[in-house]
Amino acid sequence: MSISVTVLAGGVGGARLAHGFALALPDGGAPSGGGGLTCVVNVGDDTERHGLHVSPDLDTVMYTLAGLNDEERGWGLTGESYTTLAQLERLGEDTWFTLGDKDLATHVVRTARLRDGQPLSAATGSLAASLGVRARLLPVTDDRVRTRVSTPSGTLDFQEYFVRRQHADAVLDLTYEGIGTSGPAPGVLDAVGGTDLLVVAPSNPFLSVEPVLTVPGVRDAVRASRARRVAVSPIVGGRALKGPAAQILETLGHEVSALGVARLYTDVVDVMVIDTADAALTAPIEDLGFEVLVTDTVMGGPDGRARLARELLAAVGPRT
Ligand code: GDP
Ligand code: CA
């Protein structure tokens, strides 16, 4: 039987679990007979640099699925060089947003295709295919959505907050500019509604998952989905493995724990996957109405990712 899995993802946390499913499913998650892996990815982090359209979360998932991700750094390509960035600096460009030479080729091609009139989803599909990705990679929307971060120093563009200021500002509020008039990219609602297993990756709940769910139609499709629906907590032992997820939960008034994350997902998933370090939270999370799966959720390399994906396939889904 071919199993279909749809992963809602941001960057690194999403990419790791998506990679696990690509390793666990036949043929790297390639679509076949109604089965396969689809990744529906946040675009709220997208930005324009040096005239080019950069899609950081899509690229992190794409490079990771292609086996080209720089694992040590967590983002970008392996074996990068920075000749172009140095020259851009010499020409007077702001270069705080690091872009490697090979990575820039992705952005050049993406931008050229967008200018030719292709939607982002089509440009993404052909880039991913060229790099050997067999799973389906979809931006949640082809429309322009930009996360804006309200801080004590004012409202910042997402990459200004995240990269330039190294997510040091307290986050008072988040808005997703353009999301109200956006629509799901072709294939997104089918991938959410028609899948056997729907997975909310251990991505940042506010920076990655919320701007996916808030694209009109997506949250309703998740609620109505016939799939088994599961979320993996990005908070392990009261901390984020990387990035500002813990600080943002705190400043937005949520408990910094897998329980705090579970409260955000009561209307979208049935099963919460929490780390063995958080086993004591099982009962309170069950009290919210979830099934709880306790396992090692820290994925590390390919073996750990595939193990977690196989465990999810075996333990929680799909309904037969
Ligand atoms: P970003 O867009 O690159 O910031 O990545 P995401 O939003 O997809 O994921 C960031 C979150 O992933 C952080 O809050 C991390 O705690 C979480 N994360 C990263 N690796 C792992 C892992 O192996 N296991 C779990 N449970 N969470 C992880
Ligand atoms: Ca991101």
Side-chain angles (χ1 to χ4, degrees), residues 9-12 41-42 44-46 56-58 60 158-159 162 203-204 207-208 242:
V12 172
V41 182
N42 172 45
D45 302 10
D46 284 24
D57 285 357
L58 279 167
T60 296
F158 177 74
Q159 296 300 348
F162 197 81
S203 288
N204 188 306
L207 296 180
S208 295
K242 69 170 274 290

Side-chain angles (χ1 to χ4, degrees), residues 116-154:
D116 283 347
Q118 277 190 27
L120 181 62
S121 51
T124 300
S126 59
L127 283 166
S130 300
L131 294 180
V133 173
R134 279 173 289 175
R136 203 153 61 120
L137 186 57
L138 294 174
V140 64
T141 180
D142 281 329
D143 300 318
R144 182 191 158 94
V145 172
R146 295 289 181 272
T147 298
R148 307 255 302 155
V149 187
S150 145
T151 76
S153 312

Side-chain angles (χ1 to χ4, degrees), residues 19 28 30 56 70 77 126 129 137 143 161 181 208 223 264 272 278:
H19 190 205
D70 185 327
L77 287 153
S126 59
L137 186 57
D143 300 318
Y161 156 78
T181 52
S208 295
R223 285 188 180 134
L264 301 173
M272 274 303 298
D278 298 314

Side-chain angles (χ1 to χ4, degrees), residues 71-240:
E71 289 295 333
E72 233 164 81
R73 206 171 40 176
W75 52 272
L77 287 153
T78 49
E80 269 292 13
S81 54
Y82 298 92
T83 308
T84 311
L85 199 72
Q87 188 68 7
L88 285 164
E89 180 155 25
R90 196 166 169 193
L91 296 176
E93 292 281 291
D94 256 341
T95 54
W96 51 266
F97 194 90
T98 306
L99 294 164
D101 294 321
K102 291 194 284 187
D103 191 26
L104 275 161
T106 301
H107 313 316
V108 167
V109 171
R110 173 187 293 118
T111 306
R113 298 207 174 139
L114 293 173
R115 291 213 179 123
D116 283 347
Q118 277 190 27
L120 181 62
S121 51
T124 300
S126 59
L127 283 166
S130 300
L131 294 180
V133 173
R134 279 173 289 175
R136 203 153 61 120
L137 186 57
L138 294 174
V140 64
T141 180
D142 281 329
D143 300 318
R144 182 191 158 94
V145 172
R146 295 289 181 272
T147 298
R148 307 255 302 155
V149 187
S150 145
T151 76
S153 312
T155 300
L156 306 173
D157 286 342
F158 177 74
Q159 296 300 348
E160 178 89 16
Y161 156 78
F162 197 81
V163 173
R164 190 172 204 177
R165 298 165 69 98
Q166 302 188 341
H167 47 77
D169 300 86
V171 174
L172 306 176
D173 192 22
L174 289 162
T175 52
Y176 313 109
E177 197 179 276
I179 207 161
T181 52
S182 73
V188 166
L189 295 185
D190 285 346
V192 168
T195 189
D196 297 314
L197 179 62
L198 180 67
V199 183
V200 177
S203 288
N204 188 306
F206 292 105
L207 296 180
S208 295
V209 178
E210 190 64 17
V212 168
L213 291 173
T214 307
V215 168
V218 174
R219 193 185 301 268
D220 287 345
V222 172
R223 285 188 180 134
S225 177
R226 54 179 270 278
R228 287 277 276 164
R229 300 169 305 176
V230 48
V232 180
S233 174
I235 300 293
V236 175
R239 314 165 85 104

